[in-house]
Amino acid sequence: MRMSSFIRRMLLAGALGAVLPLYAEEIRFSADSMTGVAGTKSDTTTLAGNAFVSSGSLEIHADSITLSGDDFRYINAEGNIDITDSERGMEFTCSSLEFDRETNIVFLENEVRITDAKNGITAEAQAVEYSQNAETVIMQIAVNLKQKNNICTGAYAMYHKKSQILELNGNPQVIQDEDTFKAQQITLNLDTQEITLTGNVNGSVTTTKKDEAAGTADESRTADEGGKPNGRD
């Protein structure tokens, strides 16, 4: 079987600290060991032990990383995975990853943790789709996102990094300090903190009022479908 030029160059480079131009960009990689298989339509290369791959602004550290497909379009990683997008300031950890270098979309699974340090956001979910081009993060299953005094939960969420908009669905709930908001769908502007509730709106808010006779007193009221700003049926 004819060995592809890519595999040949990797082997000649020793699979350690090599730099290779693909998709008009460099792939940097290193590992304790490497194995490669050349095929007629695609090649497969696996890096094992302290594996590292850098493609564009994305850096991936994992127990093992496999590159496959035409021009090594696909990158799969397993084990203890750390991902950094230096250009967009996003960081992820998980135990399973698939990256399509042509679409710049990353799929992450199993106890995914997300950090957007610039905007003070941390999040957790079981499955995540991250688009570098659109700068969006789709989170599914046991979503929990924290930012400032917000704790946002739901079965599904979409975070728009550029506009700082968070969309929550699937029994969504937002807790802001002592206030709680629930609806079929919740949209939260993480910059202005404006919240929009749609469908079966309910929750509770705590306000502080000055009592001229006794100082101050706290009172609570329940928000119904007509009772909270930006709530819609």
Side-chain angles (χ1 to χ4, degrees):
M1 181 180 293
R2 184 178 61 86
M3 181 177 290
S4 74
S5 61
F6 183 87
I7 294 292
R8 186 163 53 250
R9 281 182 291 161
M10 290 187 77
L11 292 173
L12 290 173
L16 294 174
V19 179
L20 300 169
L22 294 176
Y23 279 118
E25 66 182 16
E26 291 181 339
I27 282 188
R28 297 177 180 271
F29 64 92
S30 64
D32 294 339
S33 64
M34 184 209 77
T35 57
V37 177
T40 57
K41 293 184 178 180
S42 63
D43 300 318
T44 298
T45 299
T46 299
L47 306 170
N50 299 308
F52 165 78
V53 168
S54 173
S55 175
S57 64
L58 202 70
E59 295 186 351
I60 303 169
H61 294 263
D63 293 339
S64 66
I65 299 175
T66 300
L67 299 91
S68 62
D70 294 339
D71 286 330
F72 290 85
R73 171 178 173 176
Y74 304 105
I75 297 176
N76 293 70
E78 299 290 338
N80 299 306
I81 303 172
D82 291 299
I83 310 104
T84 301
D85 187 339
S86 58
E87 181 179 331
R88 299 162 184 83
M90 298 293 294
E91 297 179 1
F92 305 85
T93 64
C94 63
S95 61
S96 181
L97 170 148
E98 297 180 12
F99 176 40
D100 185 332
R101 296 195 309 111
E102 186 173 293
T103 63
N104 287 325
I105 293 178
V106 187
F107 298 94
L108 311 98
E109 292 184 328
N110 304 327
E111 298 183 359
V112 185
R113 290 178 172 80
I114 306 156
T115 302
D116 180 357
K118 179 180 178 180
N119 294 296
I121 293 171
T122 59
E124 298 177 355
Q126 290 302 308
V128 167
E129 176 184 318
Y130 170 52
S131 171
Q132 288 185 291
N133 296 340
E135 294 192 40
T136 57
V137 181
I138 296 175
M139 296 165 274
Q140 299 183 68
I141 309 173
V143 177
N144 186 312
L145 182 145
K146 298 179 181 178
Q147 184 253 10
K148 295 182 178 178
N149 64 330
N150 298 304
I151 300 176
C152 310
T153 58
Y156 175 95
M158 187 168 186
Y159 169 50
H160 303 262
K161 179 177 172 66
K162 290 181 180 179
S163 61
Q164 284 297 287
I165 296 295
L166 176 67
E167 299 172 326
L168 288 164
N169 289 276
N171 296 317
Q173 174 178 276
V174 174
I175 298 176
Q176 295 179 330
D177 293 328
E178 298 179 10
D179 303 336
T180 301
F181 307 101
K182 299 179 181 180
Q184 289 183 345
Q185 179 177 347
I186 299 177
T187 302
L188 176 64
N189 186 315
L190 296 165
D191 187 20
T192 66
Q193 302 298 300
E194 179 180 5
I195 187 170
T196 300
L197 312 176
T198 305
N200 296 328
V201 179
N202 67 85
S204 64
V205 297
T206 300
T207 61
T208 301
K209 297 178 65 177
K210 185 174 181 180
D211 189 323
E212 295 181 356
T216 62
D218 290 337
E219 68 177 22
S220 297
R221 64 182 176 85
T222 299
D224 56 18
E225 294 190 8
K228 185 60 193 171
N230 295 321
R232 299 196 302 267
D233 290 338

mmCIF file of all heavy atoms in Angstrom, residues 167-188:
data_model
loop_
_atom_site.group_PDB
_atom_site.id
_atom_site.type_symbol
_atom_site.label_atom_id
_atom_site.label_comp_id
_atom_site.label_asym_id
_atom_site.label_seq_id
_atom_site.Cartn_x
_atom_site.Cartn_y
_atom_site.Cartn_z
ATOM 1 N N GLU A 167 -30.464 31.804 25.297
ATOM 2 C CA GLU A 167 -31.814 31.284 25.108
ATOM 3 C C GLU A 167 -31.927 29.949 25.829
ATOM 4 O O GLU A 167 -31.108 29.051 25.621
ATOM 5 C CB GLU A 167 -32.112 31.105 23.621
ATOM 6 C CG GLU A 167 -32.048 32.397 22.828
ATOM 7 C CD GLU A 167 -32.156 32.171 21.329
ATOM 8 O OE1 GLU A 167 -31.661 31.124 20.854
ATOM 9 O OE2 GLU A 167 -32.734 33.049 20.653
ATOM 10 N N LEU A 168 -32.960 29.821 26.666
ATOM 11 C CA LEU A 168 -33.162 28.614 27.470
ATOM 12 C C LEU A 168 -34.487 27.963 27.129
ATOM 13 O O LEU A 168 -35.508 28.646 27.009
ATOM 14 C CB LEU A 168 -33.134 28.952 28.960
ATOM 15 C CG LEU A 168 -31.789 29.311 29.605
ATOM 16 C CD1 LEU A 168 -32.026 29.974 30.953
ATOM 17 C CD2 LEU A 168 -30.921 28.074 29.775
ATOM 18 N N ASN A 169 -34.499 26.626 27.015
ATOM 19 C CA ASN A 169 -35.715 25.860 26.793
ATOM 20 C C ASN A 169 -35.642 24.560 27.603
ATOM 21 O O ASN A 169 -34.582 24.184 28.095
ATOM 22 C CB ASN A 169 -35.883 25.520 25.309
ATOM 23 C CG ASN A 169 -36.225 26.736 24.466
ATOM 24 O OD1 ASN A 169 -37.379 27.134 24.352
ATOM 25 N ND2 ASN A 169 -35.196 27.341 23.859
ATOM 26 N N GLY A 170 -36.797 23.877 27.691
ATOM 27 C CA GLY A 170 -36.824 22.619 28.427
ATOM 28 C C GLY A 170 -36.845 22.840 29.925
ATOM 29 O O GLY A 170 -35.826 22.674 30.588
ATOM 30 N N ASN A 171 -38.009 23.240 30.463
ATOM 31 C CA ASN A 171 -38.137 23.573 31.888
ATOM 32 C C ASN A 171 -37.066 24.576 32.335
ATOM 33 O O ASN A 171 -36.348 24.352 33.315
ATOM 34 C CB ASN A 171 -38.057 22.310 32.750
ATOM 35 C CG ASN A 171 -39.196 21.357 32.493
ATOM 36 O OD1 ASN A 171 -40.349 21.766 32.368
ATOM 37 N ND2 ASN A 171 -38.880 20.066 32.409
ATOM 38 N N PRO A 172 -36.944 25.687 31.617
ATOM 39 C CA PRO A 172 -35.888 26.645 31.956
ATOM 40 C C PRO A 172 -36.208 27.408 33.231
ATOM 41 O O PRO A 172 -37.367 27.648 33.579
ATOM 42 C CB PRO A 172 -35.888 27.589 30.755
ATOM 43 C CG PRO A 172 -37.308 27.584 30.277
ATOM 44 C CD PRO A 172 -37.768 26.155 30.486
ATOM 45 N N GLN A 173 -35.143 27.790 33.906
ATOM 46 C CA GLN A 173 -35.276 28.573 35.138
ATOM 47 C C GLN A 173 -34.070 29.487 35.272
ATOM 48 O O GLN A 173 -32.940 29.099 34.986
ATOM 49 C CB GLN A 173 -35.366 27.654 36.353
ATOM 50 C CG GLN A 173 -35.362 28.382 37.689
ATOM 51 C CD GLN A 173 -35.506 27.435 38.866
ATOM 52 O OE1 GLN A 173 -36.614 27.054 39.239
ATOM 53 N NE2 GLN A 173 -34.389 27.039 39.462
ATOM 54 N N VAL A 174 -34.332 30.718 35.702
ATOM 55 C CA VAL A 174 -33.260 31.663 35.983
ATOM 56 C C VAL A 174 -33.429 32.160 37.403
ATOM 57 O O VAL A 174 -34.497 32.653 37.785
ATOM 58 C CB VAL A 174 -33.267 32.855 34.993
ATOM 59 C CG1 VAL A 174 -32.235 33.902 35.415
ATOM 60 C CG2 VAL A 174 -32.992 32.385 33.578
ATOM 61 N N ILE A 175 -32.387 32.027 38.197
ATOM 62 C CA ILE A 175 -32.378 32.547 39.564
ATOM 63 C C ILE A 175 -31.424 33.726 39.596
ATOM 64 O O ILE A 175 -30.255 33.602 39.210
ATOM 65 C CB ILE A 175 -31.936 31.470 40.565
ATOM 66 C CG1 ILE A 175 -32.911 30.294 40.548
ATOM 67 C CG2 ILE A 175 -31.827 32.054 41.964
ATOM 68 C CD1 ILE A 175 -32.494 29.139 41.435
ATOM 69 N N GLN A 176 -31.943 34.871 40.042
ATOM 70 C CA GLN A 176 -31.136 36.069 40.204
ATOM 71 C C GLN A 176 -31.208 36.478 41.673
ATOM 72 O O GLN A 176 -32.224 36.995 42.137
ATOM 73 C CB GLN A 176 -31.651 37.203 39.318
ATOM 74 C CG GLN A 176 -31.522 36.924 37.823
ATOM 75 C CD GLN A 176 -32.070 38.051 36.966
ATOM 76 O OE1 GLN A 176 -33.002 38.755 37.358
ATOM 77 N NE2 GLN A 176 -31.506 38.238 35.780
ATOM 78 N N ASP A 177 -30.139 36.224 42.418
ATOM 79 C CA ASP A 177 -30.151 36.444 43.868
ATOM 80 C C ASP A 177 -31.329 35.685 44.479
ATOM 81 O O ASP A 177 -31.369 34.470 44.398
ATOM 82 C CB ASP A 177 -30.193 37.939 44.180
ATOM 83 C CG ASP A 177 -28.913 38.643 43.766
ATOM 84 O OD1 ASP A 177 -27.843 38.008 43.833
ATOM 85 O OD2 ASP A 177 -28.985 39.813 43.357
ATOM 86 N N GLU A 178 -32.318 36.396 45.027
ATOM 87 C CA GLU A 178 -33.456 35.747 45.659
ATOM 88 C C GLU A 178 -34.673 35.643 44.725
ATOM 89 O O GLU A 178 -35.727 35.160 45.137
ATOM 90 C CB GLU A 178 -33.851 36.494 46.935
ATOM 91 C CG GLU A 178 -32.747 36.514 47.995
ATOM 92 C CD GLU A 178 -33.163 37.270 49.238
ATOM 93 O OE1 GLU A 178 -34.365 37.614 49.352
ATOM 94 O OE2 GLU A 178 -32.308 37.528 50.097
ATOM 95 N N ASP A 179 -34.517 36.098 43.499
ATOM 96 C CA ASP A 179 -35.628 36.076 42.550
ATOM 97 C C ASP A 179 -35.545 34.835 41.649
ATOM 98 O O ASP A 179 -34.457 34.413 41.252
ATOM 99 C CB ASP A 179 -35.613 37.335 41.671
ATOM 100 C CG ASP A 179 -35.674 38.604 42.499
ATOM 101 O OD1 ASP A 179 -36.165 38.540 43.644
ATOM 102 O OD2 ASP A 179 -35.227 39.652 42.002
ATOM 103 N N THR A 180 -36.705 34.279 41.329
ATOM 104 C CA THR A 180 -36.780 33.082 40.487
ATOM 105 C C THR A 180 -37.757 33.303 39.344
ATOM 106 O O THR A 180 -38.864 33.810 39.552
ATOM 107 C CB THR A 180 -37.234 31.859 41.307
ATOM 108 O OG1 THR A 180 -36.315 31.642 42.372
ATOM 109 C CG2 THR A 180 -37.279 30.612 40.428
ATOM 110 N N PHE A 181 -37.354 32.929 38.121
ATOM 111 C CA PHE A 181 -38.197 33.087 36.945
ATOM 112 C C PHE A 181 -38.286 31.760 36.193
ATOM 113 O O PHE A 181 -37.272 31.106 35.951
ATOM 114 C CB PHE A 181 -37.630 34.170 36.012
ATOM 115 C CG PHE A 181 -37.366 35.483 36.694
ATOM 116 C CD1 PHE A 181 -36.083 35.838 37.065
ATOM 117 C CD2 PHE A 181 -38.410 36.349 36.981
ATOM 118 C CE1 PHE A 181 -35.830 37.049 37.707
ATOM 119 C CE2 PHE A 181 -38.168 37.559 37.625
ATOM 120 C CZ PHE A 181 -36.878 37.907 37.979
ATOM 121 N N LYS A 182 -39.521 31.388 35.810
ATOM 122 C CA LYS A 182 -39.753 30.159 35.058
ATOM 123 C C LYS A 182 -40.703 30.455 33.903
ATOM 124 O O LYS A 182 -41.558 31.322 34.011
ATOM 125 C CB LYS A 182 -40.355 29.081 35.955
ATOM 126 C CG LYS A 182 -39.490 28.669 37.137
ATOM 127 C CD LYS A 182 -40.189 27.614 37.987
ATOM 128 C CE LYS A 182 -39.350 27.218 39.186
ATOM 129 N NZ LYS A 182 -40.038 26.183 40.019
ATOM 130 N N ALA A 183 -40.541 29.703 32.809
ATOM 131 C CA ALA A 183 -41.413 29.865 31.645
ATOM 132 C C ALA A 183 -41.133 28.728 30.673
ATOM 133 O O ALA A 183 -40.251 27.896 30.909
ATOM 134 C CB ALA A 183 -41.177 31.218 30.978
ATOM 135 N N GLN A 184 -41.875 28.693 29.576
ATOM 136 C CA GLN A 184 -41.570 27.702 28.540
ATOM 137 C C GLN A 184 -40.263 28.043 27.838
ATOM 138 O O GLN A 184 -39.513 27.169 27.438
ATOM 139 C CB GLN A 184 -42.716 27.627 27.529
ATOM 140 C CG GLN A 184 -43.982 26.977 28.067
ATOM 141 C CD GLN A 184 -45.072 26.864 27.022
ATOM 142 O OE1 GLN A 184 -45.006 27.500 25.973
ATOM 143 N NE2 GLN A 184 -46.069 26.053 27.290
ATOM 144 N N GLN A 185 -40.031 29.335 27.667
ATOM 145 C CA GLN A 185 -38.791 29.797 27.057
ATOM 146 C C GLN A 185 -38.330 31.060 27.765
ATOM 147 O O GLN A 185 -39.132 31.940 28.080
ATOM 148 C CB GLN A 185 -38.968 30.076 25.569
ATOM 149 C CG GLN A 185 -37.701 30.600 24.883
ATOM 150 C CD GLN A 185 -37.876 30.807 23.391
ATOM 151 O OE1 GLN A 185 -38.847 30.363 22.789
ATOM 152 N NE2 GLN A 185 -36.936 31.503 22.778
ATOM 153 N N ILE A 186 -37.034 31.135 28.018
ATOM 154 C CA ILE A 186 -36.458 32.303 28.671
ATOM 155 C C ILE A 186 -35.297 32.819 27.828
ATOM 156 O O ILE A 186 -34.440 32.047 27.395
ATOM 157 C CB ILE A 186 -35.949 31.981 30.094
ATOM 158 C CG1 ILE A 186 -37.106 31.514 30.983
ATOM 159 C CG2 ILE A 186 -35.273 33.203 30.710
ATOM 160 C CD1 ILE A 186 -36.675 31.110 32.383
ATOM 161 N N THR A 187 -35.297 34.124 27.579
ATOM 162 C CA THR A 187 -34.188 34.772 26.894
ATOM 163 C C THR A 187 -33.580 35.799 27.839
ATOM 164 O O THR A 187 -34.284 36.642 28.378
ATOM 165 C CB THR A 187 -34.654 35.476 25.604
ATOM 166 O OG1 THR A 187 -35.264 34.515 24.741
ATOM 167 C CG2 THR A 187 -33.472 36.113 24.879
ATOM 168 N N LEU A 188 -32.271 35.701 28.039
ATOM 169 C CA LEU A 188 -31.580 36.591 28.969
ATOM 170 C C LEU A 188 -30.441 37.302 28.255
ATOM 171 O O LEU A 188 -29.587 36.660 27.637
ATOM 172 C CB LEU A 188 -31.029 35.791 30.160
ATOM 173 C CG LEU A 188 -30.196 36.561 31.187
ATOM 174 C CD1 LEU A 188 -31.037 37.626 31.891
ATOM 175 C CD2 LEU A 188 -29.589 35.601 32.214
#
